[in-house]
C-alpha cells in the first residue's frame, strides 16, 4: 500500500500519470516553495479587500458581536478545511478536488466536484473584477481621477489575464506581494489605532466578542455571512503539480492560510468596531476601515489603505484565474478539446484553459456591467459563486468521510468530518430557508442549474464519461490514497 507520508518523489506523482505528455501538455513541476503555495489560498480569500467593508456589513446584520460571529465562522470552517488537509496529505494534482474525490467516491463524483469548484473560481474572478473596480473608483477618485467603474473592471481583467499567463512562479510572487503589502498596511494602521486608544479609550474592549443581547438566530446570519469570508482557503490544492513536495507543503498551506486570514480578519474587525462611537454608526459607514484610519492616523494613510484594498482585490482575481485554469486543464487532460491540454512552451501556464477561464470571468462581468454601482454587480456575481462553493465543500466532506471509512481511520477523524458536514448543513439552511428574494433567488437557481449540468454532462456525453472513467489521474489518486489499482466506479 502506498504510504501517505511525503516523499522526495511526491512532486511527480500526478504528472507521471501522463508519461506521453510533451512539453506543451504538462505543467512545470517543482516551481513553488511554501510561501508561493500559500499565496494562492490567501489570494483567493483577499483578506484586505474584505476587511475594508466587513465590520459595517456585520454590524448591520448581527449587531455588536462583529468579531464573535467571525470567530465562530472561522472555527466552523476549520472542520471543513480538515477534509482538504486529509486528502492533500495523500495526493495532489492540478485538478484539486477532482483528483482526490474522484479517486475515492467515483469519477462522476470527482467531475461534479471539480466542475463546481472551477466555476466558483471563474465566477469569483468576474465578481472581483467589479470589486476591484469599485474600490479603485474610490481610491483614484481621492487623487482626482474619476472614471466609470466599468473602465477599471476591464483594465483589471486584462491585467489579470496577462499575469496569469506568466510563469506560475511570477504569478504566485505577484499575489504574495500584493496581498502581503496590503495586509501590512492594515496591520500598521490598526496598531496605531490601538495605540491611540480607539473611541473614548475603548480600543481593547471585548465588546466585539460579546453577543450584546443579540439572539442566536441573528448571530447565525452573521456567521453564515462570515463563513463566505474564509472561502478559498483550499485554492493551494490546485498547485499540486507545481509545488515542491506538495504532500508536505499543501496541507500546511491550506491550514495556515485559513488561520492567518481568520486572525487578521477578526483582529481588524475588533479594532474597527471599537474605534466607532456605537454600532449604529458603524452599520451605516461606507468604508469603515478607511474612515477609522483617516481619523486616527491621517487622510494619507486612509488613502494608502484604499489602494491596498485595490491591490488585494486584484490579487484575489488573479488567484482565482490561476486556480480555475489548473482545474480546467486537469479535466481537459482526461476528456476535453485538445486546446484545454495545451500549456505555453514559454511560461508553462495552461494557456488553452486560461482562455476559457478568462472568457467565463469576462462573461460574468458583462452580465452585470450595466449596473450603475459596482457594489451591486459584486453582490450579484459573488452570490452565485458563494452558493456553489457550499456545494463544492459538501461534496469534498462527503468524500472525505467515505475515505476515512474505507481506510479504517480512527473514528475521531470521521466524527470531525461529520461535524463539518453538519456545519455546512446549517449554512445551507440559513442561506436558502426562506428562499432568497429576487435578484438573489436568480443566483440560487443559476447555481442549481449549474450543478445539474455538471451531473448530466458525463451521463449524456459518452466521450466525457469514458475519459474520466479511464482517467490516469484518478488511477494514480486511488493508488496513493487507497492502495487500489484504479478509482471507485459510480455504478
Amino acid at each position: 500500500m502506498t504510504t501517505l507520508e511525503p516523499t522526495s518523489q511526491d512532486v511527480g506523482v500526478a504528472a507521471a500519470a501522463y508519461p506521453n505528455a510533451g512539453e506543451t501538455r504538462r505543467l512545470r513541476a517543482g516551481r513553488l516553495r511554501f510561501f508561493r503555495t500559500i499565496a494562492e489560498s490567501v489570494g483567493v480569500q483577499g483578506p484586505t479587500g474584505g476587511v475594508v467593508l466587513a465590520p459595517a456589513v456585520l454590524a448591520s446584520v448581527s449587531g455588536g458581536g462583529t468579531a464573535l460571529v467571525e470567530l465562530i465562522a472561522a472555527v466552523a470552517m476549520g472542520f471543513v478545511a480538515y477534509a482538504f488537509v486529509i486528502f492533500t496529505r495523500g495526493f495532489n494534482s492540478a485538478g484539486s478536488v477532482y483528483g482526490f474525490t474522484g479517486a475515492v467516491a467515483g469519477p462522476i463524483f470527482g467531475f461534479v466536484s471539480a466542475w463546481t469548484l472551477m466555476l466558483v473560481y471563474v465566477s469569483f474572478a468576474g465578481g472581483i473584477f467589479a470589486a476591484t473596480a469599485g474600490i479603485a473608483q474610490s481610491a483614484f477618485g481621492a487623487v482626482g481621477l474619476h472614471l466609470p467603474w466599468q473602465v477599471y473592471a476591464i483594465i483589471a481583467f486584462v491585467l489579470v489575464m496577462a499575469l496569469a499567463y506568466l510563469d506560475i512562479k511570477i504569478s504566485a510572487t505577484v499575489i504574495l506581494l500584493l496581498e502581503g503589502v496590503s495586509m501590512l498596511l492594515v496591520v500598521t494602521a490598526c496598531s496605531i489605532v490601538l495605540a491611540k486608544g480607539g473611541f473614548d479609550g475603548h480600543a481593547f474592549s471585548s465588546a466585539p466578542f460579546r453577543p450584546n443581547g443579540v439572539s442566536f438566530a441573528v448571530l447565525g446570519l452573521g456567521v453564515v455571512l462570515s463563513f463566505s469570508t474564509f472561502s478559498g482557503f483550499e485554492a493551494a490544492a490546485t498547485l499540486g503539480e507545481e509545488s515542491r513536495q506538495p504532500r508536505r507543503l499543501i496541507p500546511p498551506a491550506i491550514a495556515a492560510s485559513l488561520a492567518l486570514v481568520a486572525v487578521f480578519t477578526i483582529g481588524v474587525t475588533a479594532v474597527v468596531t471599537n474605534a466607532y462611537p456605537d454600532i449604529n454608526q458603524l452599520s451605516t459607514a461606507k468604508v469603515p476601515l478607511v474612515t477609522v484610519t483617516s481619523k486616527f492616523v491621517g487622510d494619507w494613510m486612509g488613502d494608502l489603505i484604499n489602494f491596498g484594498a485595490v491591490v488585494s482585490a486584484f490579487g484575489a482575481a488573479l488567484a482565482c484565474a490561476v486556480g480555475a485554469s489548473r482545474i480546467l486543464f486537469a479535466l481537459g487532460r482526461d476528456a476535453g478539446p485538445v486546446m484545454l491540454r495545451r500549456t505555453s512552451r514559454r511560461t508553462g501556464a495552461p494557456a488553452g484553459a486560461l482562455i476559457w477561464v478568462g472568457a467565463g470571468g469576462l462573461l460574468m462581468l458583462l452580465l452585470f456591467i450595466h449596473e450603475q454601482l459596482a457594489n451591486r454587480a459584486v453582490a450579484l456575481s459573488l452570490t452565485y459563486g458563494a452558493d456553489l462553493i457550499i456545494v463544492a465543500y459538501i461534496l469534498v466532506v462527503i468524500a472525505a468521510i467515505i475515505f476515512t471509512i474505507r481506510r479504517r481511520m480512527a473514528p475521531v477523524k470521521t466524527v470531525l468530518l461529520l461535524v463539518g458536514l453538519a456545519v455546512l448543513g446549517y449554512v445551507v439552511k440559513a442561506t436558502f430557508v426562506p428562499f432568497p428574494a429576487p435578484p438573489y433567488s436568480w443566483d440560487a437557481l443559476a447555481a442549481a442549474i449549474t450543478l445539474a449540468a455538471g451531473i448530466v454532462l458525463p451521463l449524456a456525453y459518452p466521450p466525457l464519461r469514458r475519459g474520466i472513467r479511464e482517467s490516469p489521474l484518478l488511477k494514480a489518486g486511488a493508488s496513493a490514497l487507497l492502495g487500489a489499482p484504479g478509482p471507485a466506479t459510480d455504478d
Side-chain angles (χ1 to χ4, degrees), residues 55-63 279 283-284:
V57 175
L58 291 176
S60 65
V61 171
S62 58
I279 206 67
S283 66
T284 58

Side-chain angles (χ1 to χ4, degrees), residues 21-402:
E23 183 183 357
T24 58
R25 292 197 179 184
R26 66 172 184 266
L27 300 170
R28 292 180 180 174
R31 300 291 291 158
L32 306 176
R33 295 183 185 272
F34 179 75
F35 286 107
R36 288 190 176 95
T37 301
I38 195 176
E40 175 68 11
S41 285
V42 175
V44 171
Q45 293 174 90
T48 304
V51 295
V52 169
L53 301 174
V57 175
L58 291 176
S60 65
V61 171
S62 58
T66 52
L68 174 64
V69 296
E70 289 183 332
L71 176 61
I72 296 171
V75 172
M77 186 66 90
F79 290 101
V80 179
Y82 184 60
F84 285 89
V85 170
I86 281 182
F87 276 131
T88 54
R89 282 175 178 168
F91 185 68
N92 292 279
S93 71
S96 179
V97 296
Y98 174 55
F100 42 75
T101 65
V104 169
I108 293 179
F109 192 102
F111 174 82
V112 174
S113 299
W115 165 266
T116 305
L117 190 58
M118 177 194 68
L119 290 179
V120 166
Y121 292 157
V122 170
S123 65
F124 276 4
I128 297 170
F129 293 144
T132 305
I135 303 172
Q137 197 174 30
S138 171
F140 285 102
V143 295
L145 182 60
H146 301 281
L147 295 173
W149 73 263
Q150 291 87 346
V151 174
Y152 291 112
I154 295 299
I155 292 173
F157 163 74
V158 172
L159 291 176
V160 162
M161 289 300 104
L163 288 171
Y165 179 74
L166 298 179
D167 187 313
I168 184 59
K169 200 169 183 177
I170 298 174
S171 303
T173 301
V174 170
I175 296 169
L176 182 65
L177 289 176
L178 291 180
E179 196 59 59
V181 169
S182 58
M183 289 176 73
L184 184 60
L185 279 173
V186 173
V187 170
T188 301
C190 287
S191 299
I192 296 173
V193 173
L194 286 174
K196 292 189 174 182
F199 174 74
D200 203 20
H202 294 158
F204 294 96
S205 168
S206 63
F209 294 94
R210 299 197 303 265
N212 298 313
V214 177
S215 68
F216 177 77
V218 174
L219 285 177
L221 294 176
V223 171
V224 172
L225 184 64
S226 298
F227 195 80
S228 62
T229 300
F230 306 115
S231 298
F233 64 86
E234 76 295 331
T238 64
L239 303 178
E241 294 174 40
E242 295 162 284
S243 293
R244 299 188 182 187
Q245 295 184 311
R247 279 189 284 179
R248 184 173 66 84
L249 296 181
I250 290 178
I254 288 173
S257 68
L258 177 58
L260 175 65
V261 172
V263 170
F264 175 80
T265 303
I266 294 167
V268 173
T269 298
V271 170
V272 172
T273 301
N274 284 332
Y276 266 79
D278 59 65
I279 206 67
N280 291 326
Q281 287 190 34
L282 176 59
S283 66
T284 58
K286 291 183 178 180
V287 279
L289 176 59
V290 176
T291 302
V292 166
T293 302
S294 297
K295 176 180 178 180
F296 286 90
V297 185
D299 290 339
W300 63 272
M301 190 63 169
D303 292 339
L304 281 179
I305 294 294
N306 228 344
F307 280 105
V310 173
V311 299
S312 171
F314 178 82
L318 175 57
C320 287
V322 168
S325 64
R326 268 63 185 172
I327 296 177
L328 184 56
F329 166 78
L331 292 175
R333 191 167 49 183
D334 281 347
V338 174
M339 177 184 183
L340 295 181
R341 310 171 204 172
R342 288 179 180 164
T343 58
S344 167
R345 188 184 302 274
R346 186 169 63 87
T347 69
L354 189 59
I355 290 173
W356 284 98
V357 166
L362 181 61
L363 175 61
M364 179 61 70
L365 173 63
L366 293 178
L367 285 174
F368 305 106
I369 204 165
H370 65 280
E371 295 288 345
Q372 184 175 358
L373 299 176
N375 286 347
R376 182 170 170 80
V378 173
L380 291 171
S381 53
L382 292 189
T383 299
Y384 165 76
D387 291 344
L388 272 184
I389 204 167
I390 297 172
V391 176
Y393 287 164
I394 288 174
L395 293 175
V396 173
V397 173
I398 289 173
I401 292 171
I402 294 171

Side-chain angles (χ1 to χ4, degrees), residues 375-463:
N375 286 347
R376 182 170 170 80
V378 173
L380 291 171
S381 53
L382 292 189
T383 299
Y384 165 76
D387 291 344
L388 272 184
I389 204 167
I390 297 172
V391 176
Y393 287 164
I394 288 174
L395 293 175
V396 173
V397 173
I398 289 173
I401 292 171
I402 294 171
F403 176 52
T404 59
I405 294 172
R406 293 185 66 179
R407 283 297 305 265
R408 295 183 174 86
M409 293 182 176
V412 66
K413 295 185 177 183
T414 306
V415 170
L416 289 173
L417 292 168
L418 287 171
V419 172
L421 191 60
V423 167
L424 290 169
Y426 174 78
V427 172
V428 169
K429 178 182 179 299
T431 302
F432 301 109
V433 180
F435 198 68
Y440 299 106
S441 59
W442 306 338
D443 284 314
L445 291 173
I449 292 171
T450 298
L451 178 61
I455 297 171
V456 170
L457 271 175
L459 299 175
Y461 186 53

